[in-house]
Amino acid sequence: MPQQTPPADATPADATPAGRPEIEIRDLHKSFGDNHVLRGIDLDVAPGEVVCVIGPSGSGKSTLLRCVNLLEEPSRGTVHVGGTELTDPDVDIDAVRRRIGMVFQQFNLFPHVDVTGNLTLPQRRVLGRDKARAAEVARENLDRVGLADKAGAFPAQLSGGQQQRVAIARALSMGPEVMLFDEPTSALDPELVGEVLSVMRLLAGEGMTMMVVTHEMSFAREVADRVVFMDGGVIVEQGPAAQVITRPAHERTRNFLDRILDPAAVEPPVGEDPGPTRQPEG
Amino acid sequence: MTSRLTRRQRRRVWQAIQYAVFVAVLVLVVVLADWDRLANQFAQPDLAARLFPDIITIALRNTVVYTFSGFLFGLVLGLVVAMMRLSSVTPYRWVAGVYIELFRGLPALLIFIFVGVAVPLAFPGAEIPGGIYGKVALGLGLVAAAYMAETIRAGIQAVPKGQMEAARSLGFSHARAMASVIIPQAFRIVIPPLTNELVLLFKDSSLVLFLGVTLEQRELTKFGRDLASETANSTPILVAGLCYLLVTVPLSFVVRRLEARADKAT
């Protein structure tokens, strides 16, 4: 029997049985043909927790995130979100996805409608909200990401940072219990990263459950309750941000952090250090 | 030793040759053609004047009506075939593939004859709704749908994959995402090629000739040919041709503008 899905406007407290993790991943495997990308992942995310997933490219961290809303179908294992098993073939995946917000590296705003349209179209088509209510929710969420003045703009007229903030507002307009971020700042010019991280920090402060795949170590250190380091399709180590980032237990974690925290090893330093000291304004 | 030309000199010689060929052909045509007989056969002003207003109010009007009915039917059918081509149900993909190959591989004329003859034979008593207009919409639409299906399929596939992923992650079903997110974007991409298809259909509507039409149902080509045989003079053909150009040239211009705008947008 599939579990009763809570109404879309339910608060996270109603949706998750007490004591149960918001996200529960068990023995998750994913292969693309012969390429075994995820090799047995077990991970829980508690309600209100912010988990940052770090690791070298190709480590499977994005695939893991995409399995959490079934954009990728796991080859084996189970994923529960808010008590509903996504991997159950009988579950209404569209209903579950309404409760899971996803933010993409490439923003993926709908270019054929304006900013308000991007926020209202899903509410109206998916949640069946009427036009006035959808517009009201859109205004609230644009305000939340500081873009109330861009309501009538088209995505192509916005900077990357603004587009990503609109994408966050679009996901929030659906009233999700969980937000997934797939390298949300990787496609941005360095000077635009801060504004997106500020919005994410705000969300974390409001108690949103968040799973963030990122290369922003300063953000992870500051905001994450827990940092998960992945390599080769497995979780190598996890723990409080300060511990994993500053005192990693594993050689592989140390190597990775050395490479990413010391940009000189990858690219010649140009004036300022673009790595860990990259701090958003305000 | 031959004298070597500089690059500039070589370019000049080459250009001179091209102009010379152009002028020579022009002179030959002007001198050799029998302009008096041509004018007599194709350009008699009083005959041309007698074609109006019927050539506009009946013939051109019917051409436009036939074209649009065929275009609309073809667009709907083309969209269905395109969706079948992209379907996860294998037999649908086969049917769509066979349809596209069949109707792109056959002359439009053959399909018109088929619609006019075979369909009434196969379904005795059954009338294609809309009379001649229904038949034309069917004939033109069947051909157009095959081309439009491929255009629409390419348009749908040109929409970045992230759009479908974003829509699905917001809770859209596949069908709703298609209807609200993917197809509206795909249509923007395919507006120039679809307009081009409209130009082709406008010309193909001349095949109505073979369906057997009443005087009131004649379109430009049939009208021109009928009057040409009535008057034993080809002026009506020339005027009918000009009427086609009246529509196709501006439309082609619009297509070029749309294409230029689409290029700029991406």
Side-chain angles (χ1 to χ4, degrees), chain B residues 68-121:
Chain B
F68 271 104
S69 54
F71 185 78
L72 284 182
F73 178 66
L75 189 63
V76 173
L77 185 61
L79 187 59
V80 171
V81 174
M83 299 307 290
M84 286 171 71
R85 194 100 169 93
L86 295 169
S87 166
S88 55
V89 182
T90 312
Y92 278 177
R93 285 202 305 274
W94 288 343
V95 170
V98 167
Y99 179 90
I100 289 167
E101 291 310 322
L102 204 66
F103 282 88
R104 287 203 308 185
L106 288 172
L109 177 53
L110 220 69
I111 291 160
F112 263 79
I113 293 170
F114 182 81
V115 167
V117 179
V119 172
L121 277 179

Short mmCIF file of all heavy atoms in Angstrom, two decimals, chain B residues 68-121:
data_model
loop_
_atom_site.label_atom_id
_atom_site.label_comp_id
_atom_site.label_asym_id
_atom_site.label_seq_id
_atom_site.Cartn_x
_atom_site.Cartn_y
_atom_site.Cartn_z
N PHE B 68 -4.94 26.95 -46.44
CA PHE B 68 -5.04 27.00 -44.99
C PHE B 68 -5.72 25.78 -44.42
O PHE B 68 -5.30 25.27 -43.37
CB PHE B 68 -5.76 28.28 -44.54
CG PHE B 68 -4.80 29.42 -44.35
CD1 PHE B 68 -4.72 30.43 -45.27
CD2 PHE B 68 -3.95 29.45 -43.24
CE1 PHE B 68 -3.81 31.47 -45.11
CE2 PHE B 68 -3.04 30.47 -43.08
CZ PHE B 68 -2.97 31.49 -44.02
N SER B 69 -6.75 25.27 -45.12
CA SER B 69 -7.40 24.08 -44.58
C SER B 69 -6.42 22.91 -44.59
O SER B 69 -6.34 22.15 -43.63
CB SER B 69 -8.68 23.75 -45.35
OG SER B 69 -8.41 23.65 -46.73
N GLY B 70 -5.63 22.79 -45.68
CA GLY B 70 -4.62 21.73 -45.75
C GLY B 70 -3.55 21.92 -44.68
O GLY B 70 -3.11 20.97 -44.04
N PHE B 71 -3.16 23.17 -44.47
CA PHE B 71 -2.10 23.47 -43.50
C PHE B 71 -2.56 23.11 -42.09
O PHE B 71 -1.82 22.46 -41.34
CB PHE B 71 -1.73 24.95 -43.58
CG PHE B 71 -0.57 25.33 -42.70
CD1 PHE B 71 0.72 25.05 -43.10
CD2 PHE B 71 -0.78 25.97 -41.50
CE1 PHE B 71 1.80 25.40 -42.29
CE2 PHE B 71 0.29 26.32 -40.69
CZ PHE B 71 1.58 26.04 -41.10
N LEU B 72 -3.78 23.51 -41.74
CA LEU B 72 -4.28 23.25 -40.39
C LEU B 72 -4.42 21.75 -40.14
O LEU B 72 -3.97 21.24 -39.11
CB LEU B 72 -5.63 23.94 -40.18
CG LEU B 72 -5.52 25.45 -39.95
CD1 LEU B 72 -6.89 26.05 -39.71
CD2 LEU B 72 -4.59 25.75 -38.79
N PHE B 73 -5.00 21.05 -41.12
CA PHE B 73 -5.14 19.61 -40.96
C PHE B 73 -3.75 18.96 -40.86
O PHE B 73 -3.51 18.11 -40.00
CB PHE B 73 -5.93 19.02 -42.15
CG PHE B 73 -6.08 17.54 -42.10
CD1 PHE B 73 -6.83 16.94 -41.10
CD2 PHE B 73 -5.46 16.73 -43.03
CE1 PHE B 73 -6.97 15.57 -41.04
CE2 PHE B 73 -5.59 15.35 -42.98
CZ PHE B 73 -6.35 14.77 -41.98
N GLY B 74 -2.84 19.41 -41.72
CA GLY B 74 -1.49 18.85 -41.72
C GLY B 74 -0.76 19.13 -40.41
O GLY B 74 -0.01 18.29 -39.91
N LEU B 75 -1.01 20.32 -39.85
CA LEU B 75 -0.33 20.71 -38.62
C LEU B 75 -0.77 19.80 -37.46
O LEU B 75 0.06 19.28 -36.71
CB LEU B 75 -0.65 22.17 -38.29
CG LEU B 75 0.14 22.80 -37.15
CD1 LEU B 75 1.62 22.84 -37.50
CD2 LEU B 75 -0.37 24.20 -36.88
N VAL B 76 -2.07 19.58 -37.36
CA VAL B 76 -2.60 18.73 -36.29
C VAL B 76 -2.08 17.30 -36.47
O VAL B 76 -1.53 16.69 -35.54
CB VAL B 76 -4.14 18.76 -36.27
CG1 VAL B 76 -4.68 17.74 -35.27
CG2 VAL B 76 -4.63 20.15 -35.93
N LEU B 77 -2.23 16.79 -37.71
CA LEU B 77 -1.78 15.43 -37.98
C LEU B 77 -0.25 15.32 -37.80
O LEU B 77 0.25 14.35 -37.24
CB LEU B 77 -2.19 15.02 -39.40
CG LEU B 77 -1.89 13.58 -39.79
CD1 LEU B 77 -2.65 12.61 -38.89
CD2 LEU B 77 -2.28 13.33 -41.25
N GLY B 78 0.46 16.35 -38.25
CA GLY B 78 1.92 16.35 -38.14
C GLY B 78 2.36 16.31 -36.69
O GLY B 78 3.32 15.63 -36.33
N LEU B 79 1.64 17.06 -35.84
CA LEU B 79 1.97 17.07 -34.41
C LEU B 79 1.76 15.67 -33.82
O LEU B 79 2.58 15.16 -33.07
CB LEU B 79 1.09 18.10 -33.69
CG LEU B 79 1.42 18.38 -32.24
CD1 LEU B 79 2.85 18.86 -32.08
CD2 LEU B 79 0.45 19.41 -31.66
N VAL B 80 0.64 15.04 -34.22
CA VAL B 80 0.35 13.69 -33.73
C VAL B 80 1.44 12.71 -34.19
O VAL B 80 1.98 11.94 -33.39
CB VAL B 80 -1.04 13.21 -34.23
CG1 VAL B 80 -1.25 11.74 -33.90
CG2 VAL B 80 -2.14 14.06 -33.60
N VAL B 81 1.80 12.80 -35.48
CA VAL B 81 2.82 11.88 -36.00
C VAL B 81 4.16 12.14 -35.31
O VAL B 81 4.89 11.20 -34.97
CB VAL B 81 2.94 12.02 -37.54
CG1 VAL B 81 4.10 11.17 -38.07
CG2 VAL B 81 1.64 11.60 -38.21
N ALA B 82 4.48 13.42 -35.07
CA ALA B 82 5.75 13.74 -34.40
C ALA B 82 5.77 13.14 -33.00
O ALA B 82 6.78 12.58 -32.57
CB ALA B 82 5.94 15.25 -34.33
N MET B 83 4.64 13.25 -32.28
CA MET B 83 4.58 12.68 -30.93
C MET B 83 4.71 11.15 -30.99
O MET B 83 5.34 10.55 -30.12
CB MET B 83 3.26 13.05 -30.24
CG MET B 83 3.02 14.54 -30.06
SD MET B 83 4.36 15.39 -29.23
CE MET B 83 4.19 14.74 -27.60
N MET B 84 4.10 10.56 -32.03
CA MET B 84 4.23 9.11 -32.17
C MET B 84 5.67 8.71 -32.46
O MET B 84 6.18 7.72 -31.95
CB MET B 84 3.32 8.61 -33.31
CG MET B 84 1.85 8.61 -32.96
SD MET B 84 0.81 8.25 -34.39
CE MET B 84 1.15 6.53 -34.66
N ARG B 85 6.33 9.54 -33.27
CA ARG B 85 7.73 9.27 -33.63
C ARG B 85 8.62 9.29 -32.40
O ARG B 85 9.62 8.59 -32.32
CB ARG B 85 8.19 10.35 -34.61
CG ARG B 85 9.48 10.04 -35.31
CD ARG B 85 9.21 9.53 -36.72
NE ARG B 85 10.44 9.48 -37.51
CZ ARG B 85 11.20 8.39 -37.59
NH1 ARG B 85 10.87 7.30 -36.93
NH2 ARG B 85 12.29 8.40 -38.33
N LEU B 86 8.24 10.12 -31.41
CA LEU B 86 9.05 10.25 -30.18
C LEU B 86 8.50 9.37 -29.06
O LEU B 86 9.00 9.41 -27.95
CB LEU B 86 9.04 11.71 -29.73
CG LEU B 86 9.72 12.70 -30.67
CD1 LEU B 86 9.43 14.12 -30.25
CD2 LEU B 86 11.22 12.46 -30.69
N SER B 87 7.47 8.59 -29.36
CA SER B 87 6.81 7.81 -28.31
C SER B 87 7.72 6.69 -27.82
O SER B 87 8.63 6.23 -28.51
CB SER B 87 5.52 7.22 -28.87
OG SER B 87 5.04 6.20 -28.01
N SER B 88 7.45 6.26 -26.59
CA SER B 88 8.21 5.12 -26.07
C SER B 88 7.55 3.81 -26.50
O SER B 88 8.09 2.74 -26.28
CB SER B 88 8.29 5.21 -24.54
OG SER B 88 6.99 5.30 -23.99
N VAL B 89 6.36 3.90 -27.11
CA VAL B 89 5.67 2.70 -27.59
C VAL B 89 6.19 2.38 -29.00
O VAL B 89 5.96 3.14 -29.94
CB VAL B 89 4.14 2.93 -27.62
CG1 VAL B 89 3.42 1.67 -28.07
CG2 VAL B 89 3.66 3.36 -26.24
N THR B 90 6.88 1.26 -29.11
CA THR B 90 7.58 0.95 -30.36
C THR B 90 6.67 0.93 -31.60
O THR B 90 7.04 1.53 -32.61
CB THR B 90 8.33 -0.40 -30.22
OG1 THR B 90 9.05 -0.36 -28.99
CG2 THR B 90 9.27 -0.62 -31.37
N PRO B 91 5.49 0.28 -31.55
CA PRO B 91 4.64 0.27 -32.76
C PRO B 91 4.27 1.68 -33.23
O PRO B 91 4.16 1.92 -34.42
CB PRO B 91 3.39 -0.51 -32.30
CG PRO B 91 3.84 -1.32 -31.16
CD PRO B 91 4.92 -0.54 -30.48
N TYR B 92 4.08 2.61 -32.27
CA TYR B 92 3.79 3.99 -32.66
C TYR B 92 4.94 4.57 -33.47
O TYR B 92 4.75 5.25 -34.47
CB TYR B 92 3.57 4.86 -31.41
CG TYR B 92 2.19 4.76 -30.82
CD1 TYR B 92 1.86 5.44 -29.66
CD2 TYR B 92 1.19 4.00 -31.44
CE1 TYR B 92 0.59 5.35 -29.10
CE2 TYR B 92 -0.07 3.91 -30.90
CZ TYR B 92 -0.37 4.58 -29.73
OH TYR B 92 -1.61 4.51 -29.18
N ARG B 93 6.17 4.28 -33.02
CA ARG B 93 7.33 4.81 -33.74
C ARG B 93 7.39 4.23 -35.15
O ARG B 93 7.70 4.94 -36.10
CB ARG B 93 8.62 4.49 -32.98
CG ARG B 93 8.83 5.35 -31.75
CD ARG B 93 10.31 5.41 -31.36
NE ARG B 93 10.89 4.09 -31.17
CZ ARG B 93 10.83 3.40 -30.03
NH1 ARG B 93 10.24 3.93 -28.99
NH2 ARG B 93 11.37 2.22 -29.93
N TRP B 94 7.06 2.92 -35.25
CA TRP B 94 7.07 2.30 -36.58
C TRP B 94 6.05 2.97 -37.50
O TRP B 94 6.36 3.37 -38.61
CB TRP B 94 6.71 0.82 -36.48
CG TRP B 94 7.76 -0.05 -35.87
CD1 TRP B 94 9.09 0.27 -35.71
CD2 TRP B 94 7.59 -1.37 -35.36
NE1 TRP B 94 9.73 -0.77 -35.12
CE2 TRP B 94 8.85 -1.80 -34.89
CE3 TRP B 94 6.50 -2.22 -35.25
CZ2 TRP B 94 9.05 -3.04 -34.32
CZ3 TRP B 94 6.69 -3.47 -34.69
CH2 TRP B 94 7.95 -3.87 -34.23
N VAL B 95 4.81 3.06 -36.99
CA VAL B 95 3.73 3.63 -37.80
C VAL B 95 4.12 5.04 -38.26
O VAL B 95 3.99 5.38 -39.44
CB VAL B 95 2.41 3.66 -37.00
CG1 VAL B 95 1.35 4.47 -37.75
CG2 VAL B 95 1.91 2.24 -36.76
N ALA B 96 4.62 5.83 -37.33
CA ALA B 96 5.00 7.20 -37.67
C ALA B 96 6.11 7.20 -38.72
O ALA B 96 6.08 7.97 -39.68
CB ALA B 96 5.45 7.96 -36.42
N GLY B 97 7.08 6.31 -38.54
CA GLY B 97 8.20 6.24 -39.48
C GLY B 97 7.73 5.85 -40.87
O GLY B 97 8.11 6.47 -41.87
N VAL B 98 6.86 4.84 -40.94
CA VAL B 98 6.34 4.39 -42.23
C VAL B 98 5.53 5.52 -42.87
O VAL B 98 5.68 5.82 -44.06
CB VAL B 98 5.47 3.12 -42.06
CG1 VAL B 98 4.68 2.83 -43.33
CG2 VAL B 98 6.35 1.94 -41.68
N TYR B 99 4.70 6.16 -42.07
CA TYR B 99 3.88 7.26 -42.59
C TYR B 99 4.75 8.33 -43.23
O TYR B 99 4.50 8.78 -44.35
CB TYR B 99 3.04 7.88 -41.45
CG TYR B 99 2.20 9.03 -41.93
CD1 TYR B 99 0.91 8.82 -42.40
CD2 TYR B 99 2.71 10.32 -41.97
CE1 TYR B 99 0.16 9.86 -42.88
CE2 TYR B 99 1.96 11.37 -42.45
CZ TYR B 99 0.68 11.13 -42.90
OH TYR B 99 -0.06 12.17 -43.40
N ILE B 100 5.78 8.73 -42.49
CA ILE B 100 6.63 9.82 -42.96
C ILE B 100 7.33 9.42 -44.26
O ILE B 100 7.33 10.18 -45.24
CB ILE B 100 7.66 10.21 -41.87
CG1 ILE B 100 6.94 10.92 -40.72
CG2 ILE B 100 8.75 11.10 -42.44
CD1 ILE B 100 7.78 11.05 -39.47
N GLU B 101 7.90 8.21 -44.28
CA GLU B 101 8.61 7.77 -45.49
C GLU B 101 7.66 7.67 -46.68
O GLU B 101 7.98 8.07 -47.79
CB GLU B 101 9.30 6.42 -45.25
CG GLU B 101 10.46 6.48 -44.29
CD GLU B 101 11.45 7.58 -44.63
OE1 GLU B 101 11.70 7.83 -45.83
OE2 GLU B 101 11.96 8.23 -43.70
N LEU B 102 6.46 7.12 -46.40
CA LEU B 102 5.48 6.91 -47.46
C LEU B 102 5.06 8.24 -48.08
O LEU B 102 5.14 8.43 -49.31
CB LEU B 102 4.25 6.22 -46.85
CG LEU B 102 3.37 5.42 -47.80
CD1 LEU B 102 4.14 4.22 -48.31
CD2 LEU B 102 2.11 4.96 -47.06
N PHE B 103 4.62 9.17 -47.25
CA PHE B 103 4.03 10.38 -47.79
C PHE B 103 5.07 11.40 -48.25
O PHE B 103 4.77 12.31 -49.01
CB PHE B 103 3.06 11.00 -46.78
CG PHE B 103 1.74 10.28 -46.76
CD1 PHE B 103 1.54 9.19 -45.94
CD2 PHE B 103 0.70 10.66 -47.61
CE1 PHE B 103 0.34 8.51 -45.94
CE2 PHE B 103 -0.50 9.99 -47.62
CZ PHE B 103 -0.68 8.91 -46.78
N ARG B 104 6.31 11.23 -47.80
CA ARG B 104 7.36 12.08 -48.36
C ARG B 104 7.88 11.49 -49.65
O ARG B 104 8.44 12.19 -50.49
CB ARG B 104 8.52 12.26 -47.37
CG ARG B 104 8.15 13.17 -46.23
CD ARG B 104 9.36 13.77 -45.59
NE ARG B 104 10.37 12.77 -45.22
CZ ARG B 104 11.47 13.05 -44.56
NH1 ARG B 104 11.71 14.29 -44.22
NH2 ARG B 104 12.32 12.11 -44.24
N GLY B 105 7.71 10.16 -49.80
CA GLY B 105 8.25 9.48 -50.97
C GLY B 105 7.32 9.47 -52.16
O GLY B 105 7.74 9.16 -53.27
N LEU B 106 6.03 9.78 -51.93
CA LEU B 106 5.06 9.74 -53.03
C LEU B 106 4.83 11.15 -53.57
O LEU B 106 4.82 12.10 -52.81
CB LEU B 106 3.73 9.17 -52.52
CG LEU B 106 3.69 7.69 -52.21
CD1 LEU B 106 2.36 7.34 -51.54
CD2 LEU B 106 3.88 6.87 -53.48
N PRO B 107 4.59 11.24 -54.89
CA PRO B 107 4.23 12.56 -55.43
C PRO B 107 2.88 13.00 -54.86
O PRO B 107 1.98 12.17 -54.69
CB PRO B 107 4.11 12.31 -56.94
CG PRO B 107 4.73 11.00 -57.19
CD PRO B 107 4.66 10.22 -55.92
N ALA B 108 2.77 14.29 -54.57
CA ALA B 108 1.52 14.81 -54.02
C ALA B 108 0.35 14.51 -54.95
O ALA B 108 -0.76 14.21 -54.51
CB ALA B 108 1.65 16.30 -53.77
N LEU B 109 0.63 14.54 -56.25
CA LEU B 109 -0.42 14.30 -57.24
C LEU B 109 -1.06 12.92 -57.06
O LEU B 109 -2.27 12.75 -57.09
CB LEU B 109 0.18 14.42 -58.64
CG LEU B 109 -0.76 14.14 -59.81
CD1 LEU B 109 -2.03 14.98 -59.71
CD2 LEU B 109 -0.06 14.45 -61.13
N LEU B 110 -0.20 11.94 -56.80
CA LEU B 110 -0.67 10.57 -56.60
C LEU B 110 -1.60 10.50 -55.40
O LEU B 110 -2.61 9.79 -55.41
CB LEU B 110 0.54 9.67 -56.37
CG LEU B 110 0.49 8.31 -57.03
CD1 LEU B 110 0.58 8.44 -58.53
CD2 LEU B 110 1.61 7.44 -56.50
N ILE B 111 -1.26 11.22 -54.36
CA ILE B 111 -2.06 11.20 -53.14
C ILE B 111 -3.41 11.87 -53.39
O ILE B 111 -4.44 11.42 -52.90
CB ILE B 111 -1.28 11.87 -51.99
CG1 ILE B 111 -0.10 10.96 -51.62
CG2 ILE B 111 -2.17 12.10 -50.79
CD1 ILE B 111 1.00 11.64 -50.89
N PHE B 112 -3.39 12.92 -54.21
CA PHE B 112 -4.65 13.58 -54.56
C PHE B 112 -5.56 12.64 -55.32
O PHE B 112 -6.76 12.56 -55.06
CB PHE B 112 -4.37 14.84 -55.39
CG PHE B 112 -4.37 16.06 -54.54
CD1 PHE B 112 -3.27 16.39 -53.77
CD2 PHE B 112 -5.49 16.87 -54.49
CE1 PHE B 112 -3.28 17.50 -52.97
CE2 PHE B 112 -5.51 17.98 -53.69
CZ PHE B 112 -4.40 18.31 -52.93
N ILE B 113 -4.98 11.91 -56.27
CA ILE B 113 -5.79 10.96 -57.05
C ILE B 113 -6.33 9.89 -56.12
O ILE B 113 -7.49 9.49 -56.21
CB ILE B 113 -4.93 10.34 -58.18
CG1 ILE B 113 -4.59 11.43 -59.19
CG2 ILE B 113 -5.67 9.20 -58.85
CD1 ILE B 113 -3.55 11.02 -60.22
N PHE B 114 -5.49 9.46 -55.19
CA PHE B 114 -5.90 8.45 -54.22
C PHE B 114 -7.08 8.95 -53.40
O PHE B 114 -8.08 8.25 -53.24
CB PHE B 114 -4.71 8.12 -53.32
CG PHE B 114 -4.99 7.06 -52.31
CD1 PHE B 114 -4.94 5.72 -52.66
CD2 PHE B 114 -5.30 7.40 -51.00
CE1 PHE B 114 -5.21 4.75 -51.73
CE2 PHE B 114 -5.56 6.42 -50.06
CZ PHE B 114 -5.52 5.09 -50.42
N VAL B 115 -6.96 10.18 -52.90
CA VAL B 115 -8.04 10.74 -52.09
C VAL B 115 -9.31 10.86 -52.93
O VAL B 115 -10.42 10.57 -52.47
CB VAL B 115 -7.62 12.10 -51.51
CG1 VAL B 115 -8.83 12.84 -50.93
CG2 VAL B 115 -6.56 11.92 -50.45
N GLY B 116 -9.16 11.29 -54.19
CA GLY B 116 -10.31 11.54 -55.04
C GLY B 116 -10.98 10.26 -55.51
O GLY B 116 -12.20 10.22 -55.69
N VAL B 117 -10.19 9.19 -55.72
CA VAL B 117 -10.74 7.98 -56.33
C VAL B 117 -10.83 6.82 -55.33
O VAL B 117 -11.89 6.22 -55.16
CB VAL B 117 -9.86 7.55 -57.54
CG1 VAL B 117 -10.43 6.28 -58.15
CG2 VAL B 117 -9.80 8.67 -58.56
N ALA B 118 -9.72 6.54 -54.66
CA ALA B 118 -9.66 5.32 -53.86
C ALA B 118 -10.52 5.41 -52.60
O ALA B 118 -11.18 4.44 -52.24
CB ALA B 118 -8.21 5.02 -53.48
N VAL B 119 -10.52 6.57 -51.97
CA VAL B 119 -11.27 6.68 -50.72
C VAL B 119 -12.77 6.46 -50.95
O VAL B 119 -13.39 5.66 -50.24
CB VAL B 119 -10.98 8.03 -50.01
CG1 VAL B 119 -11.91 8.23 -48.82
CG2 VAL B 119 -9.52 8.07 -49.55
N PRO B 120 -13.38 7.09 -51.97
CA PRO B 120 -14.81 6.82 -52.21
C PRO B 120 -15.06 5.36 -52.57
O PRO B 120 -16.12 4.81 -52.20
CB PRO B 120 -15.14 7.73 -53.40
CG PRO B 120 -14.10 8.77 -53.39
CD PRO B 120 -12.87 8.15 -52.83
N LEU B 121 -14.08 4.72 -53.24
CA LEU B 121 -14.25 3.31 -53.58
C LEU B 121 -14.19 2.43 -52.33
O LEU B 121 -14.95 1.50 -52.17
CB LEU B 121 -13.15 2.87 -54.55
CG LEU B 121 -13.38 3.17 -56.02
CD1 LEU B 121 -12.19 2.70 -56.85
CD2 LEU B 121 -14.66 2.52 -56.51
#
